[in-house]
Amino acid sequence: MSDERLVLTEVSEYIATITLNRPKALNALSPELMDELIAAVNACDSDDSVRVLILTGGPRAFAAGADIKAMIESSPMKLHVSQIIAKWNRIRDCRKPIIAAVSGYALGGGCELAMMCDIILASDTAKFGQPEINIGVIPGAGGTQRLTRAIGPYRAMELILTGDLISAQEAAAYGLVSHVYPAESLPSEARRLAAKIASRPPLAVQMAKDAVRYAAETTLREGLEIEKRNFYMLFDTQDQKEGMRAFVEKRTPTFTGE
Ligand code: CAA
């Protein structure tokens, strides 16, 4: 039964693993798949038993892009009315950190989806790219903006204008990917990182994510204001008291998320 679902979610020990499950189409991001993904992210965002999300695909593809077959006969107004891309912003807006664990292709919307996450880990089989130019369009879910911020304007321009793909190692050298692992150890490494983040005070993690996000999305002045606001806000939490008292008392803190 669960195999028919386009997105599978498993929660354990504060970590939700969300797996794109459309392997025959290389996890092409159809509207139905995106609706399921957004519902899964929404559910995790409001579930206190989840502190960190891992978003992953299959061995051949994280996701090979938006579903070309579903878009081919579309029109500007149909795209507008269906909010086909606007809806994806819900992934970006998740308050909890999302780790993308990428094996195989992360192309077009797949690369953009990975870039909506907060940390990208890759296996040595991963390939990243924005090949939309080859089918007569351009990236539409943030590729021209996020890739440019992630790897710099000249590299991004070359990739977007040629549609060429880069390996996991190149993506790591460019700063898009944090670490590259052998394919068989990617799931455990993603979980190890998620567990480390999940052990940190959850509200501080969320405030930190929020502030770091602003660094890429606004001016330095506004970003510094947000950082200061979030820093001050954390003094309303039990975990701030616990963390600072534990430091002074030379013991390990116990964080409750309050
Ligand atoms: N949409 C729909 N179906 C896709 C798809 C996509 N983006 N990518 C792969 N598939 C399907 C193929 O049509 C094929 O299905 P059938 O067996 O029914 O024919 C199946 O997945 C396997 O694909 P291939 O036979 O092509 O596999 P391959 O190993 O020969 O090639 C590939 C793999 C290089 C990834 C190739 O599939 C490919 O180039 N895919 C398209 C990549 C792309 O252009 N992505 C951008 C999409 S547009 C976009 O994302 C817009 C945006 O910014 C939001």
Side-chain angles (χ1 to χ4, degrees):
M1 191 60 185
S2 66
D3 283 351
E4 291 162 19
R5 312 233 333 247
L6 300 169
V7 169
L8 308 173
T9 306
E10 189 193 313
V11 178
S12 79
E13 294 169 341
Y14 292 121
I15 301 166
T17 303
I18 299 180
T19 306
L20 306 179
N21 184 39
R22 205 186 163 207
K24 286 187 187 140
L26 301 184
N27 289 334
L29 303 167
S30 61
E32 297 77 18
L33 185 150
M34 286 309 297
D35 283 346
E36 282 193 31
L37 176 59
I38 289 160
V41 169
N42 275 338
C44 292
D45 209 13
S46 51
D47 178 349
D48 286 343
S49 72
V50 174
R51 293 184 179 178
V52 181
L53 287 69
I54 297 172
L55 177 59
T56 195
R60 278 189 73 203
F62 175 75
D67 191 320
I68 299 169
K69 293 168 191 168
M71 280 187 301
I72 193 163
E73 297 301 340
S74 207
S75 70
M77 207 38 83
K78 276 189 201 159
L79 294 174
H80 173 73
V81 169
S82 65
Q83 295 197 310
I84 190 160
I85 291 186
K87 283 200 244 177
W88 293 28
N89 287 338
R90 183 62 196 95
I91 315 286
R92 174 200 67 188
D93 292 338
C94 179
R95 291 169 306 151
K96 298 171 184 174
I98 310 181
I99 299 169
V102 177
S103 277
Y105 295 111
L107 306 184
C111 187
E112 292 168 310
L113 181 60
M115 290 191 292
M116 284 178 201
C117 300
D118 302 296
I119 298 171
I120 306 177
L121 304 180
S123 82
D124 48 14
T125 66
K127 285 197 182 307
F128 296 83
Q130 298 288 162
E132 290 91 340
I133 200 85
N134 296 323
I135 54 168
V137 290
I138 66 169
T144 62
Q145 305 304 301
R146 289 202 178 93
L147 191 64
T148 303
R149 284 166 168 77
I151 70 174
Y154 301 102
R155 283 171 173 155
M157 190 68 90
E158 183 181 339
L159 288 182
I160 290 166
L161 297 188
T162 62
D164 285 350
L165 311 189
I166 54 171
S167 67
Q169 285 77 9
E170 286 172 299
Y174 290 179
L176 181 64
V177 158
S178 304
H179 304 283
V180 181
Y181 298 107
E184 61 278 11
S185 37
L186 180 67
S188 58
E189 292 293 349
R191 232 190 129 75
R192 197 167 61 86
L193 177 61
K196 186 187 266 193
I197 297 170
S199 74
R200 306 301 192 236
L203 293 171
V205 166
Q206 290 175 26
M207 290 291 115
K209 165 174 171 162
D210 183 58
V212 173
R213 278 299 177 99
Y214 270 95
E217 293 175 7
T218 188
T219 62
L220 178 61
R221 182 178 285 267
E222 280 175 79
L224 291 171
E225 281 305 312
I226 296 293
E227 181 190 76
K228 187 173 59 173
R229 183 202 68 184
N230 289 5
F231 178 78
Y232 289 169
M233 274 172 62
L234 286 164
F235 285 75
D236 247 351
T237 67
Q238 293 302 317
D239 282 346
Q240 171 266 322
K241 306 284 179 267
E242 167 65 6
M244 292 192 180
R245 278 183 196 134
F247 173 79
V248 172
E249 292 163 13
K250 299 188 189 305
R251 61 176 174 80
T252 306
T254 304
F255 295 122
T256 60
E258 288 167 13

